[in-house]
């Protein structure tokens, strides 16, 4: 990598430590904390984030897919890793690398059981996911009898935890719906009859759940976005620090006369004398076309510069008419003081999508390890 690359995603592990402490302060000391590191740790850098979470004392990690967990094991991560969405063809990899699968349907349960038996496993730790209203993944309450009969017939599996996922924990207008989910989960826990002696632990809350429904923290919480500095709420956002900062540098400056066009398909026409800057970052880096046409804006010397015309694959043009700056100057998309949620919402999306979309072409520079 060049020593001083133009476009960089800076990852601040001290900010991660800060957010971890804030989230810890919101739960009971005995409640476990699972750090969600799926999708390259929300588009940051999975290895560095997982290592830091391990050092900070996280109890668990979670990834979406098996390959993400295998990657972390190869990087030397030793914490228990929950695989939220395993697929049938990766079951042996799960066992070989000591990952813990979420079993969310009869098909996946049987696929994993078959593999565990073939690999002569005894009481291999698994987690059972229940659908309480999100209607995405999970068993139903009425599957409990079937699950019980399967478990009584084998000693290959041991249920480590029961869990579910909230659909609208960030939206207080949907309080009643969420309380219904809490109740449904409570019912599942109550009706669980464990065929062995040890009791599985239970978990339900994501980041917004921790802030809005702390009474439902059960034995563990699963936090993702909060660790990275966002919480879906402006008030709690102010307690957190963004882990990622996306910055680039001005490649070239143009003076544009009235009536001139900028970018592909004449995406922007100047109404008067304007000054524009071309930036070496585009939709291939994760700044989608929906940020174009004035929706998104970047910051130069702390001042906003709107994105003009269409975002190109490798470049973006911004209007810098009101900013005194020169070629080579730093340009910030998001980071400390400039909210990724703010930029995302200007283009009708959310911080999760903007953060996880920053492509692997953008070098990651890590500090605070
Ligand atoms: C992604 C995910 C989380 C983390 O949610 P945040 O809102 O980022 O805290 C928790 N649980 C499950 C099942 C998930 O898929």
């Amino acid at each position: 990598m060049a020593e001083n690359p133009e476009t960089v995603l800076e990852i601040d592990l001290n900010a991660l430590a800060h957010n971890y402490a804030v989230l810890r302060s919101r739960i009971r000391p005995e409640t476990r904390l699972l750090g969600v590191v799926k999708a390259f740790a929300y588009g940051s850098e999975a290895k560095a984030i997982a290592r830091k979470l391990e050092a900070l004392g996280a109890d668990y990690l979670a990834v979406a897919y098996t390959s993400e967990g295998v990657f972390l094991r190869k990087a030397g991560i030793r914490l228990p890793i929950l695989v939220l969405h395993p697929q049938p063809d990766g079951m042996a990899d799960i066992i070989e690398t000591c990952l813990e699968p979420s079993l969310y349907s009869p098909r996946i349960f049987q696929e994993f059981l078959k593999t565990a038996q073939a690999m002569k496993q005894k009481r291999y730790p698994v987690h059972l996911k229940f659908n309480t209203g999100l209607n995405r993944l999970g068993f139903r309450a009425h599957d409990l009898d079937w699950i019980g009969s399967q478990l009584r017939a084998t000693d290959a599996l041991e249920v480590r935890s029961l869990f579910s996922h909230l659909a609208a924990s960030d939206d207080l207008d949907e309080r009643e719906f969420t309380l219904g989910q809490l109740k449904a989960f409570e019912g599942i826990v109550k009706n669980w009859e464990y065929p062995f002696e040890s009791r599985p632990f239970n978990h339900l809350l994501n980041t917004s759940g921790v802030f809005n429904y702390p009474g439902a923290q059960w034995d563990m919480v699963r936090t993702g976005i909060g660790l990275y500095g966002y919480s879906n709420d402006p008030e709690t956002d102010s307690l957190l620090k963004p882990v990622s900062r996306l910055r680039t540098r001005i490649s070239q400056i143009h003076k544009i006369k009235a009536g001139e066009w900028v970018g592909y398909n004449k995406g922007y026409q100047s109404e008067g004398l304007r000054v524009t800057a071309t930036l070496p970052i585009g939709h291939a880096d994760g700044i989608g076309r929906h940020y174009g046409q004035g929706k998104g804006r970047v910051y130069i010397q702390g001042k906003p510069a709107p994105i003009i015309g269409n975002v190109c694959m490798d470049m973006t043009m911004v209007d810098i008419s009101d900013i005194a700056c020169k070629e080579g100057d730093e340009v910030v998309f998001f980071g400390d003081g400039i909210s990724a949620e703010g930029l995302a919402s200007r283009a009708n999306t959310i911080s999760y999508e903007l953060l996880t979309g920053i492509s692997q072409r953008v070098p990651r520079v890590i500090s605070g390890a």
Side-chain angles (χ1 to χ4, degrees), residues 97-234:
T97 53
C98 297
L99 305 173
E100 301 183 11
S102 158
L103 306 182
Y104 51 86
S105 68
R107 177 177 79 115
I108 291 301
F109 186 103
Q110 283 175 322
E111 287 285 349
F112 188 75
L113 175 58
K114 206 170 64 189
T115 307
Q117 286 171 330
M119 294 173 77
K120 308 229 171 336
Q121 299 300 303
K122 292 265 175 292
R123 309 187 93 177
Y124 194 91
V126 299
H127 303 258
L128 297 180
K129 169 91 173 271
F130 288 89
N131 174 18
T132 54
L134 180 59
N135 288 319
R136 194 173 70 172
L137 289 181
F139 287 105
R140 300 267 175 169
H142 65 236
D143 292 319
L144 280 170
D145 287 345
W146 180 86
I147 295 168
S149 68
Q150 294 283 311
L151 288 171
R152 276 186 287 274
T154 179
D155 63 352
L157 305 184
E158 177 171 283
V159 177
R160 210 32 78 78
S161 81
L162 309 180
F163 75 109
S164 185
H165 193 36
L166 297 176
S169 61
D170 55 321
D171 186 352
L172 291 176
D173 291 337
E174 294 295 349
R175 206 175 164 78
E176 214 164 304
F177 180 85
T178 301
L179 293 177
Q181 281 199 276
L182 302 192
K183 215 158 162 226
F185 185 62
E186 204 179 321
I188 287 159
V189 170
K190 227 182 254 163
N191 288 325
W192 174 260
E193 285 176 42
Y194 197 59
F196 304 110
E197 273 144 39
S198 63
R199 185 185 76 85
F201 64 90
N202 307 304
H203 46 113
L204 180 61
L205 301 183
N206 63 344
T207 299
S208 294
V210 170
F211 286 114
N212 295 333
Y213 301 92
Q217 63 189 270
W218 292 91
D219 307 303
M220 182 164 82
V221 298
R222 304 184 305 272
T223 81
I225 199 78
L227 290 172
Y228 305 101
Y230 298 93
S231 71
N232 306 309
D233 172 68

Side-chain angles (χ1 to χ4, degrees), residues 277-356:
T278 301
L279 313 178
I281 182 170
H283 60 72
D285 302 290
I287 301 302
R289 281 170 58 96
H290 45 287
Y291 292 102
Q293 301 296 346
K295 292 227 178 80
R297 54 193 192 191
V298 301
Y299 285 80
I300 302 167
Q301 328 263 9
K303 295 199 182 98
I307 296 175
I308 55 175
N310 295 315
V311 173
C312 314
M313 186 186 297
D314 312 305
M315 283 170 260
T316 298
M317 280 72 89
V318 298
D319 184 342
I320 55 163
S321 304
D322 303 323
I323 307 172
C325 55
K326 57 183 191 313
E327 292 175 356
D329 279 2
E330 185 179 79
V331 178
V332 182
F333 277 74
F334 56 78
D336 50 319
I338 298 162
S339 164
E341 179 62 32
L343 174 57
S345 68
R346 294 179 66 84
N348 269 324
T349 182
I350 57 176
S351 58
Y352 296 77
E353 187 184 38
L354 175 57
L355 294 172
T356 59

